[in-house]
Amino acid sequence: MTTTIAEQFGMTAALSQLGIREINEGTSTGNQQFASGEILESYSPVDGQLIGKVRMSTPADYEKAMQAATEAFKTFRLMPAPRRGEIVRQFGEKLRQHKEALGKLVSYEMGKSYQEGLGEVQEMIDICDFAVGLSRQLHGLTMHSERPGHRMYEQYHPLGVIGIISAFNFPVAVWSWNTALAWICGDVCIWKPSEKTPLCGIACQNIIAEVLRENNLPEGISCLVTGDYKIGELLSKDTRVPLVSATGSTRMGKIVAQEVAARLGRSLLELGGNNAIIVTPDADIKMTVIGAVFGAVGTAGQRCTTTRRLIIHESMYDKVTEAIVAAYGQLRIGNPLDQNNHVGPLIDKDAVAMYEKALHDVVAQGGRILVEGGVLSGDGYESGCYVKPAIAEAENHFAIVQHETFAPILYLLKYSGDVENAIDIQNGVAQGLSSAIMTNNLREAERFLSAAGSDCGIANVNIGTSGAEIGGAFGGEKETGGGRESGSDAWKVYMRRQTNTINYSTSLPLAQGIKFDL
């Protein structure tokens, strides 16, 4: 009798621990209280097997969720921020208890390696820790008034119901970046997870629902609505949602931005990336190879911070190319739950088709393939979603290089002259998320980080483009959307600012010396 991947790696037990019923059987359990529509089936890109079935939310379900969230906000906004931080602390503790199970589900439903799945859950734990401390530091400013006997200050208040639209590639972490901060700010959240990874969303909802029940708090503080783009449209158009945080493609983000702007709402957008590493003559080649290879093939090239372009000085080009090509020859592709493998599958066959088209296009536009790609088949690759990481020589102006392909394709670009030429190439795309330079030259590094350097929201020296720490604000410029999530002062996005003036005198002087005597 053949043992399936799900059986081999204990997926049934993991799902049960996360409050999701039998694998390959029926519908999931848990907090799907706002879902009564059609069945949505979730298949694993790892082996093509059905993981489970969930119900999609109807417009009526969405309305129930909105009413629950609106009602919960009335009380949650009045809870002291440190007390809200305590709820987030408890959520973080639950995540620690379920880290292995949730990491395993992320790996199996999305297709990233098990280590990356565990890392994603750790990001959730980290943002909870960050938010707990922040709950005692939400601050405003005190200013001197021009009028005697007056005091001025600024304070921040909760916004209300925060809408969150997340993508498949980070099916749990990005939600937590938003919710952990929104909750300590006094907001409540409605989350539409990707329809490609709905079970990850239900698992997270089950965990936070348990925390809310244990603290006798309303379930409307965290609402889950499952479905396709139609649910996203409801969130984008709803005037009761002052902020919509959307993560995904630039195409999707433009639609959300237009809908939200039409009603003068706020949007926090984390969209596409076309990230580059500049390799100067003073680069450490070993470090360059490590950063570039992980950045290009991690999560099978399905990160918004994936390294898409390697901009190499002509004097180093042959040496770096040889080292990168040799490193690709050591990559192991296969079941991501097996920690011996480096690269798992793409999310689905549509992604595979885009990968194949990109490889065709780069050659048609004048490029040259250095490491052949292709779709893998046979034993262990039955899902049809496994592809070979590929490398192509190209020019930055090629249409396919200007476009973000969510797949493990790395374009090698050559530059000559000084680092300014490389920076021009790096900046010469529509996206502006992450960037890096490999150099031991202080002047080159500082030039790259200067106002005339990288135009991206993230700029690194001697590390790759992929990944970010919780303590820093995450986001990018240009067609990446301009949003900032996670650390630093990103909490201010989830609050409204209010200026207050208090008159403690016995008279009422008017501004600009205006006289209005009665």
Side-chain angles (χ1 to χ4, degrees), residues 282-320:
D282 287 313
D284 182 311
I285 292 183
K286 182 178 179 180
M287 290 176 62
T288 298
V289 171
I290 293 171
V293 173
F294 175 73
V297 307
T299 323
Q302 296 172 114
R303 292 184 177 214
C304 52
T305 56
T306 289
T307 304
R308 309 286 176 198
R309 299 173 295 146
L310 203 58
I311 305 168
I312 311 167
H313 191 269
E314 60 183 0
S315 66
M316 301 279 284
Y317 188 82
D318 291 342
K319 189 180 296 185
V320 172

Side-chain angles (χ1 to χ4, degrees), residues 6-279:
E7 292 169 337
Q8 181 182 355
F9 291 93
M11 286 307 307
T12 300
L15 290 170
S16 177
Q17 181 181 335
L18 296 168
I20 299 174
R21 266 203 304 264
E22 298 175 353
I23 191 168
N24 296 333
E25 300 287 343
T27 58
S28 60
T29 66
N31 249 33
Q32 259 208 293
Q33 75 273 44
F34 304 119
S36 62
E38 297 178 358
I39 293 292
L40 174 64
E41 296 180 332
S42 178
Y43 289 88
S44 172
V46 175
D47 57 8
Q49 295 299 306
L50 176 67
I51 310 175
K53 304 175 183 178
V54 305
R55 290 213 173 261
M56 294 199 291
S57 300
T58 65
D61 293 323
Y62 170 83
E63 185 58 33
K64 290 178 183 177
M66 177 56 65
Q67 291 176 5
T70 302
E71 194 62 29
F73 177 61
K74 294 177 182 178
T75 56
F76 194 55
R77 63 185 173 183
L78 298 177
M79 180 184 290
R83 172 63 182 145
R84 298 193 296 255
E86 168 60 16
I87 302 304
V88 174
R89 186 197 67 78
Q90 293 178 31
F91 178 52
E93 288 303 309
K94 296 284 186 185
L95 289 172
R96 286 179 170 88
Q97 296 170 21
H98 297 295
K99 180 178 177 178
E100 290 187 8
L102 185 54
K104 194 171 291 185
L105 174 58
V106 168
S107 178
Y108 191 56
E109 189 173 34
M110 185 268 147
K112 65 175 57 177
S113 73
Y114 179 47
Q115 288 302 309
E116 289 185 88
L118 292 175
E120 184 167 347
V121 181
Q122 186 61 49
E123 284 189 33
M124 301 176 75
I125 295 168
D126 292 344
I127 193 64
C128 286
D129 289 348
F130 179 88
V132 171
L134 190 62
S135 68
R136 294 181 181 272
Q137 300 179 61
L138 302 177
H139 58 81
L141 295 172
T142 299
M143 296 152 286
H144 290 280
S145 172
E146 67 183 35
R147 290 168 285 188
H150 287 59
R151 180 168 69 88
M152 291 178 63
Y153 68 96
E154 290 182 344
Q155 61 178 333
Y156 287 83
H157 293 306
L159 269 179
V161 180
I162 307 301
I164 302 168
I165 302 170
S166 63
F168 74 85
N169 60 329
F170 280 83
V172 296
V174 171
W175 167 72
S176 71
W177 292 358
N178 284 274
T179 50
L181 296 189
W183 287 333
I184 62 104
C185 289
D187 299 315
V188 299
C189 300
I190 296 183
W191 177 27
K192 189 204 91 65
S194 170
E195 61 270 30
K196 298 181 180 182
T197 51
L199 293 176
C200 287
I202 291 172
C204 291
Q205 181 63 18
N206 289 346
I207 294 170
I208 186 59
E210 184 178 356
V211 174
L212 296 177
R213 285 194 300 270
E214 290 172 353
N215 288 272
N216 296 313
L217 291 172
E219 63 182 7
I221 291 170
S222 179
C223 297
L224 181 79
V225 284
T226 50
D228 57 17
Y229 70 94
K230 295 177 183 177
I231 295 296
E233 287 181 344
L234 292 174
L235 279 171
S236 299
K237 295 179 179 180
D238 198 330
T239 56
R240 295 168 294 181
V241 183
L243 172 67
V244 175
S245 175
T247 303
S249 68
T250 296
R251 181 193 62 81
M252 178 276 290
K254 288 180 178 180
I255 295 172
V256 171
Q258 290 172 18
E259 294 287 358
V260 175
R263 58 178 177 84
L264 298 181
R266 302 187 198 178
S267 57
L268 193 169
L269 302 175
E270 298 290 355
L271 311 176
N274 197 344
N275 316 295
I277 298 176
I278 295 172
V279 185

